[in-house]
Amino acid sequence: MSFSLPIETDRLTLRRYLATDYDDLLRLQSSPDVTRFLLYGPKTPEQVKESLAGRLTDVPMDTDGQALTVAVILRETGQHVGEVTLFAQNVEQRIGEIGFVFHPDFHGRGFAAEASIELLRLGFEELGMHRIIGRLDARNSGSANLLRRLGLRQEAHFVKNEFLKGEWTDELVFAMLAEEWDKRS
Ligand SMILES: CC(C)(COP(=O)(O)OP(=O)(O)OC[C@H]1O[C@@H](n2cnc3c(N)ncnc32)[C@H](O)[C@@H]1OP(=O)(O)O)[C@@H](O)C(=O)NCCC(=O)NCCS
């Protein structure tokens, strides 16, 4: 499968990670505010190194479970504002999953939406995906609002289905089909 990076939007550049992005990734992944509703807690420097190593690895998106995570850079200042991920959940059935993590300093400016729409485009138009989902902790209203704004439909609300960080949590599942993407564009 092929896809083209970097991607330029009005305000942002979406590009592969570089080894020099370590400090920015550490700032993002070690923040308790950022990781509150994520599967992982604040990461240690050692864990961030592992995480960056994964992001530097070539990702052909041809095997179940692969994840393409791109750094999102505010072009005007060169700052790393966050990252967006497209997971190849099931290659044979062409099902993907989208994820987004932005630094709190850059929330509320539409950057996550501007970057995520490009990853949906990449998934549907370049990788030929049939369905892209988003999964989140039901308390993560910022994430639910973003998925709705992107045009995904809520398909499920699982009640206390995951034991995370010491408690049972609810999970929401959102989805968009390729045919819905075509109509939206
Ligand atoms: C989820 C997350 C990415 C959402 O970030 P966000 O900045 O709220 O998302 P958007 O890019 O859609 O921005 C929307 C906000 O920007 C505002 N905005 C300002 N300028 C804008 C513009 N030019 N275009 C669009 N929206 C704009 C919107 O009004 C909206 O504000 P509101 O939240 O007060 O209604 C962010 O909360 C985050 O990174 N959280 C931590 C990690 C996490 O939980 N990730 C999700 C895991 S499932």
Side-chain angles (χ1 to χ4, degrees), residues 18-155:
L18 305 170
T20 48
D21 291 323
Y22 171 77
D23 288 341
D24 289 322
L25 193 60
L26 178 66
R27 208 165 13 251
L28 192 69
Q29 295 191 326
S30 62
S31 157
D33 287 344
V34 171
T35 58
R36 178 157 176 235
F37 296 125
L38 301 183
L39 297 178
Y40 56 85
K43 288 194 179 178
T44 63
E46 222 27 68
Q47 290 171 321
V48 175
K49 273 182 203 149
E50 272 173 41
S51 187
L52 181 59
R55 282 157 173 67
L56 297 176
T57 308
D58 193 33
V59 185
M61 295 293 274
D62 57 3
T63 308
D64 290 358
Q66 280 182 348
L68 172 71
T69 299
V70 297
V72 180
I73 309 297
L74 178 58
R75 207 167 35 251
E76 196 182 358
T77 62
Q79 285 162 297
H80 174 272
V81 297
E83 62 180 29
V84 281
T85 300
L86 187 65
F87 300 89
Q89 204 191 64
N90 186 321
V91 171
E92 196 191 340
Q93 303 207 350
R94 296 182 286 120
I95 295 174
E97 179 175 344
I98 190 170
F100 27 71
V101 180
F102 281 72
H103 194 280
D105 289 352
F106 300 100
H107 290 179
R109 293 167 67 182
F111 293 150
E114 190 170 318
S116 302
I117 202 87
E118 291 303 320
L119 235 55
L120 289 176
R121 187 191 55 73
L122 190 151
F124 285 126
E125 296 183 12
E126 295 198 45
L127 298 179
M129 286 180 171
H130 158 69
R131 179 171 183 260
I132 297 179
I133 68 160
R135 294 187 295 157
L136 60 146
D137 186 310
R139 297 167 297 180
N140 195 347
S141 54
S143 177
N145 289 341
L146 170 54
L147 288 165
R148 282 195 194 95
R149 209 172 291 129
L150 291 169
L152 280 80
R153 283 171 289 101
Q154 186 178 324
E155 290 194 334

Side-chain angles (χ1 to χ4, degrees), residues 1-27:
M1 293 199 209
S2 72
F3 46 86
S4 34
L5 288 171
I7 296 169
E8 301 289 345
T9 69
D10 283 351
R11 299 175 292 176
L12 308 170
T13 299
L14 279 60
R15 62 154 172 79
R16 292 304 311 267
Y17 265 92
L18 305 170
T20 48
D21 291 323
Y22 171 77
D23 288 341
D24 289 322
L25 193 60
L26 178 66
R27 208 165 13 251

